[in-house]
Amino acid sequence: MTVTQTPVEDSLFGPLTVRLDTERGEVVVEGEAVPRIVLSRAAGTETDDHIPVGTRDGGRLTLTVAGEEASVHPAKGRLTRRSFRVDVRHAGHVWRLVPDSLPGSRFLRDGRRLADFYSEGDGEVTAEWRPETGPEAELGTGSDTGPDPTDVALGYALAAAFGTGAQPMWMLVSDAIGDLIP
Protein backbone atom coordinates (compact mmCIF):
# COMPACT_ATOMS: atom_id res chain seq x y z
CA MET A 1 0.00 0.00 0.00
CA THR A 2 1.31 3.41 -0.86
CA VAL A 3 -1.44 6.03 -0.81
CA THR A 4 -4.96 5.78 0.57
CA GLN A 5 -7.40 8.66 0.57
CA THR A 6 -10.38 8.00 2.79
CA PRO A 7 -13.44 10.24 2.99
CA VAL A 8 -14.88 10.43 6.52
CA GLU A 9 -18.21 11.79 7.73
CA ASP A 10 -17.33 12.98 11.23
CA SER A 11 -20.33 13.14 13.56
CA LEU A 12 -19.32 16.59 14.85
CA PHE A 13 -17.62 18.42 11.98
CA GLY A 14 -18.96 16.72 8.86
CA PRO A 15 -16.97 15.62 5.84
CA LEU A 16 -13.21 15.43 5.93
CA THR A 17 -10.49 13.49 4.15
CA VAL A 18 -7.70 11.40 5.64
CA ARG A 19 -4.82 10.76 3.23
CA LEU A 20 -2.07 8.30 4.23
CA ASP A 21 1.03 7.92 2.08
CA THR A 22 3.11 5.15 3.67
CA GLU A 23 5.89 5.40 1.09
CA ARG A 24 6.51 9.11 1.71
CA GLY A 25 5.54 8.85 5.38
CA GLU A 26 2.84 11.49 5.29
CA VAL A 27 -0.65 11.95 6.70
CA VAL A 28 -2.89 14.83 5.63
CA VAL A 29 -6.26 15.56 7.21
CA GLU A 30 -8.44 18.30 5.78
CA GLY A 31 -12.04 19.39 5.51
CA GLU A 32 -14.14 22.53 5.26
CA ALA A 33 -14.76 22.72 9.02
CA VAL A 34 -11.32 21.60 10.30
CA PRO A 35 -7.78 22.97 9.97
CA ARG A 36 -5.41 21.20 7.59
CA ILE A 37 -3.07 18.88 9.48
CA VAL A 38 0.12 17.53 7.88
CA LEU A 39 2.31 14.99 9.67
CA SER A 40 5.36 13.92 7.69
CA ARG A 41 8.47 11.83 8.08
CA ALA A 42 11.86 13.28 7.12
CA ALA A 43 13.28 12.01 3.84
CA GLY A 44 15.85 9.26 4.25
CA THR A 45 14.46 8.04 7.57
CA GLU A 46 14.71 4.30 8.15
CA THR A 47 11.14 3.03 8.25
CA ASP A 48 9.28 0.53 10.40
CA ASP A 49 6.50 -1.26 8.52
CA HIS A 50 4.46 -1.63 11.73
CA ILE A 51 4.01 2.16 11.94
CA PRO A 52 1.89 3.71 9.16
CA VAL A 53 3.93 6.94 9.07
CA GLY A 54 7.11 4.84 9.28
CA THR A 55 8.77 6.02 12.50
CA ARG A 56 8.19 6.81 16.17
CA ASP A 57 11.24 9.10 16.28
CA GLY A 58 9.77 12.54 16.98
CA GLY A 59 12.98 14.17 15.77
CA ARG A 60 12.29 12.73 12.31
CA LEU A 61 8.67 13.95 12.17
CA THR A 62 7.19 17.34 11.31
CA LEU A 63 3.64 18.33 12.26
CA THR A 64 1.77 21.42 11.10
CA VAL A 65 -1.66 22.60 12.19
CA ALA A 66 -3.15 25.09 9.71
CA GLY A 67 0.39 25.86 8.54
CA GLU A 68 1.79 26.43 12.06
CA GLU A 69 4.41 24.05 13.38
CA ALA A 70 3.47 21.90 16.37
CA SER A 71 5.64 19.50 18.35
CA VAL A 72 4.93 15.77 18.17
CA HIS A 73 6.38 13.31 20.68
CA PRO A 74 5.67 9.61 20.09
CA ALA A 75 6.82 7.31 22.89
CA LYS A 76 9.09 4.38 21.97
CA GLY A 77 6.39 1.69 21.86
CA ARG A 78 7.71 -1.12 24.05
CA LEU A 79 5.88 -3.45 26.47
CA THR A 80 3.06 -1.38 27.95
CA ARG A 81 0.13 0.20 26.14
CA ARG A 82 1.15 3.58 27.57
CA SER A 83 4.53 3.22 25.82
CA PHE A 84 2.67 3.59 22.50
CA ARG A 85 1.25 7.04 23.36
CA VAL A 86 1.73 10.06 21.12
CA ASP A 87 1.73 13.59 22.54
CA VAL A 88 1.28 16.84 20.62
CA ARG A 89 1.91 20.34 21.96
CA HIS A 90 0.43 23.32 20.16
CA ALA A 91 -1.20 26.66 21.00
CA GLY A 92 -0.98 26.13 24.77
CA HIS A 93 -2.61 22.68 24.71
CA VAL A 94 -1.39 19.09 24.99
CA TRP A 95 -3.14 16.27 23.10
CA ARG A 96 -2.50 12.60 23.73
CA LEU A 97 -3.49 9.48 21.79
CA VAL A 98 -2.89 6.38 23.94
CA PRO A 99 -4.00 2.76 23.42
CA ASP A 100 -6.52 1.47 25.95
CA SER A 101 -7.70 -1.76 24.28
CA LEU A 102 -6.64 -4.16 21.53
CA PRO A 103 -8.30 -2.15 18.74
CA GLY A 104 -8.67 1.35 20.17
CA SER A 105 -6.99 4.37 21.67
CA ARG A 106 -8.37 7.17 23.80
CA PHE A 107 -7.79 10.76 22.70
CA LEU A 108 -7.29 13.49 25.29
CA ARG A 109 -6.79 17.26 25.29
CA ASP A 110 -5.15 18.66 28.42
CA GLY A 111 -5.92 15.41 30.25
CA ARG A 112 -9.65 15.37 29.40
CA ARG A 113 -10.89 12.42 27.33
CA LEU A 114 -12.58 13.58 24.15
CA ALA A 115 -12.95 10.46 22.02
CA ASP A 116 -12.01 6.90 21.21
CA PHE A 117 -10.26 6.30 17.88
CA TYR A 118 -9.91 3.10 15.88
CA SER A 119 -7.54 2.52 12.96
CA GLU A 120 -5.69 -0.56 11.77
CA GLY A 121 -3.00 1.58 10.18
CA ASP A 122 -4.53 1.47 6.71
CA GLY A 123 -5.70 5.10 6.57
CA GLU A 124 -9.26 4.29 7.61
CA VAL A 125 -10.11 5.96 10.92
CA THR A 126 -13.24 5.85 13.06
CA ALA A 127 -13.95 8.26 15.92
CA GLU A 128 -16.44 7.86 18.75
CA TRP A 129 -16.79 11.23 20.45
CA ARG A 130 -17.61 11.02 24.14
CA PRO A 131 -21.20 12.10 24.88
CA GLU A 132 -20.10 14.27 27.78
CA THR A 133 -17.83 16.24 25.43
CA GLY A 134 -20.18 16.53 22.47
CA PRO A 135 -22.71 19.22 21.56
CA GLU A 136 -25.24 17.83 24.09
CA ALA A 137 -22.87 18.61 26.96
CA GLU A 138 -22.41 22.17 25.74
CA LEU A 139 -26.17 22.72 25.51
CA GLY A 140 -26.68 21.62 29.10
CA THR A 141 -23.96 23.66 30.75
CA GLY A 142 -22.98 26.37 28.31
CA SER A 143 -19.35 25.42 28.97
CA ASP A 144 -16.65 24.91 26.39
CA THR A 145 -16.20 21.18 26.93
CA GLY A 146 -16.78 19.88 23.43
CA PRO A 147 -14.12 19.08 20.86
CA ASP A 148 -13.12 21.93 18.58
CA PRO A 149 -12.03 21.63 14.92
CA THR A 150 -8.34 21.28 15.87
CA ASP A 151 -9.15 18.41 18.25
CA VAL A 152 -11.03 16.59 15.51
CA ALA A 153 -8.36 17.00 12.83
CA LEU A 154 -5.49 16.09 15.18
CA GLY A 155 -7.28 12.97 16.43
CA TYR A 156 -7.79 11.65 12.91
CA ALA A 157 -4.21 12.51 11.91
CA LEU A 158 -2.60 10.78 14.90
CA ALA A 159 -4.78 7.68 14.57
CA ALA A 160 -3.93 7.40 10.85
CA ALA A 161 -0.22 8.07 11.38
CA PHE A 162 0.39 5.65 14.25
CA GLY A 163 -2.59 3.30 14.25
CA THR A 164 -4.54 2.56 17.42
CA GLY A 165 -4.74 -0.10 20.08
CA ALA A 166 -2.11 -2.39 21.57
CA GLN A 167 -1.89 -5.70 23.37
CA PRO A 168 -1.75 -5.59 27.16
CA MET A 169 1.62 -6.36 28.73
CA TRP A 170 0.49 -9.75 30.05
CA MET A 171 -0.30 -10.91 26.49
CA LEU A 172 3.10 -9.77 25.22
CA VAL A 173 4.86 -11.55 28.09
CA SER A 174 2.87 -14.76 27.56
CA ASP A 175 3.65 -14.66 23.82
CA ALA A 176 7.37 -14.25 24.61
CA ILE A 177 7.29 -17.16 27.08
CA GLY A 178 5.40 -19.29 24.55
CA ASP A 179 8.10 -18.58 21.97
CA LEU A 180 10.76 -19.87 24.40
CA ILE A 181 9.03 -23.19 25.10
CA PRO A 182 9.73 -25.82 22.41
Side-chain angles (χ1 to χ4, degrees):
M1 170 178 58
T2 303
V3 179
T4 59
Q5 186 159 318
T6 308
V8 175
E9 185 64 36
D10 182 73
S11 62
L12 298 180
F13 286 89
L16 53 96
T17 302
V18 176
R19 185 173 60 81
L20 170 63
D21 184 335
T22 56
E23 188 173 309
R24 288 182 56 198
E26 182 177 79
V27 173
V28 178
V29 174
E30 53 193 344
E32 287 185 31
V34 299
R36 186 172 197 260
I37 305 288
V38 179
L39 177 63
S40 55
R41 180 183 74 228
T45 301
E46 187 176 324
T47 62
D48 181 339
D49 293 339
H50 292 78
I51 305 164
V53 78
T55 186
R56 295 188 70 81
D57 180 352
R60 309 291 293 167
L61 295 168
T62 303
L63 175 65
T64 60
V65 177
E68 292 181 24
E69 195 163 327
S71 63
V72 59
H73 305 279
K76 298 288 183 197
R78 302 278 186 225
L79 281 178
T80 65
R81 285 181 174 161
R82 183 176 159 88
S83 73
F84 287 91
R85 73 189 176 281
V86 180
D87 293 330
V88 169
R89 288 176 174 64
H90 175 70
H93 294 286
V94 176
W95 289 267
R96 174 171 282 177
L97 182 71
V98 61
D100 64 356
S101 67
L102 282 173
S105 294
R106 65 183 177 268
F107 182 62
L108 305 99
R109 177 191 53 200
D110 300 328
R112 183 177 186 141
R113 189 173 189 164
L114 299 175
D116 297 307
F117 277 89
Y118 303 91
S119 178
E120 295 181 7
D122 57 2
E124 292 192 29
V125 180
T126 302
E128 292 179 2
W129 298 101
R130 307 286 289 192
E132 63 272 16
T133 62
E136 342 37 80
E138 291 181 42
L139 292 174
T141 64
S143 65
D144 182 25
T145 60
D148 67 24
T150 301
D151 299 330
V152 172
L154 270 174
Y156 280 97
L158 295 177
F162 298 99
T164 61
Q167 291 184 334
M169 186 170 46
W170 68 267
M171 285 180 81
L172 293 171
V173 170
S174 67
D175 286 348
I177 291 171
D179 290 343
L180 295 175
I181 298 172

